[in-house]
Amino acid sequence: MRAEPRALWTLLEALDDPDHIETPAGFDRAAARRAFVELTERLSGAFEAECAADLHVQDASFHAQVVVPAEATATGQRFVVRVSNFGMLAVIALDNPGVHSEEVFRARADPHDVERIAACLDAGGYVLVPEEPLWTPYRGAIARHVFGGGEPTWWDRYFDYL
């Protein structure tokens, strides 16, 4: 499912809990891991290639990420799919997260690749979030506790190391 702009902000704000920084209340790490491993398997099948997963994430608001290799894509570049610990949120990035604007992403990414990834996310119940809106300033519940001197973004809150 793709988060629509208005619904995106409602969802992000609803998930923002000052008492739970890395994971939401009641987070089931084993279930999140199973869902992510299944996502990785679906992506590997959809692209007929081994998609490498980084499962060793600590001190972060995201759970894991998987790379779809460039040689398996029509785009000719790798995709990185990162999933949050919060609300089954997921992003698709071209090359690496935080590198390309939405405009550049749309211009460079083959729509068929994006649709295959989105279908794999949908099958697992993930909510696809566009990356660029997450780069806007975050002034939510945990900003002063975690991010200290810098200006945090919504990306920091749900998709980065803390």
Side-chain angles (χ1 to χ4, degrees):
M1 172 176 70
R2 294 182 186 189
E4 297 303 320
R6 184 170 299 171
L8 170 64
W9 295 113
T10 301
L11 176 60
L12 294 178
E13 289 169 0
L15 294 171
D16 193 20
D17 181 344
D19 297 324
H20 299 92
I21 296 171
E22 288 185 26
T23 60
F27 182 68
D28 185 341
R29 190 169 304 280
R33 180 56 47 97
R34 280 191 305 275
F36 183 78
V37 167
E38 291 170 2
L39 170 63
T40 300
E41 291 169 353
R42 282 191 302 277
L43 287 167
S44 293
F47 285 89
E48 298 179 353
E50 172 112 17
C51 294
D54 178 3
L55 301 171
H56 305 290
V57 176
Q58 295 180 353
D59 302 322
S61 57
F62 74 99
H63 184 73
Q65 68 181 26
V66 59
V67 174
V68 179
E71 57 274 7
T73 70
T75 301
Q77 293 177 273
R78 75 185 201 148
F79 286 89
V80 177
V81 180
R82 185 175 283 189
V83 300
S84 178
N85 287 327
F86 291 83
M88 296 295 284
L89 303 177
V91 296
I92 304 170
L94 189 59
D95 295 324
N96 285 304
V99 173
H100 300 293
S101 69
E102 198 66 26
E103 180 181 357
V104 170
F105 180 91
R106 282 192 307 271
R108 292 177 64 187
D110 185 285
H112 182 64
D113 288 337
V114 176
E115 286 307 314
R116 285 191 284 176
I117 296 169
C120 291
L121 290 167
D122 283 347
Y126 288 96
V127 177
L128 180 56
V129 177
E131 187 179 4
E132 190 170 359
L134 297 169
W135 301 341
T136 61
Y138 166 80
R139 293 183 179 85
I142 67 165
R144 69 182 187 282
H145 299 294
V146 177
F147 306 108
E151 183 172 28
T153 64
W154 285 96
W155 175 264
D156 297 318
R157 178 63 181 104
Y158 293 119
F159 288 98
D160 212 350
Y161 292 96
L162 300 174

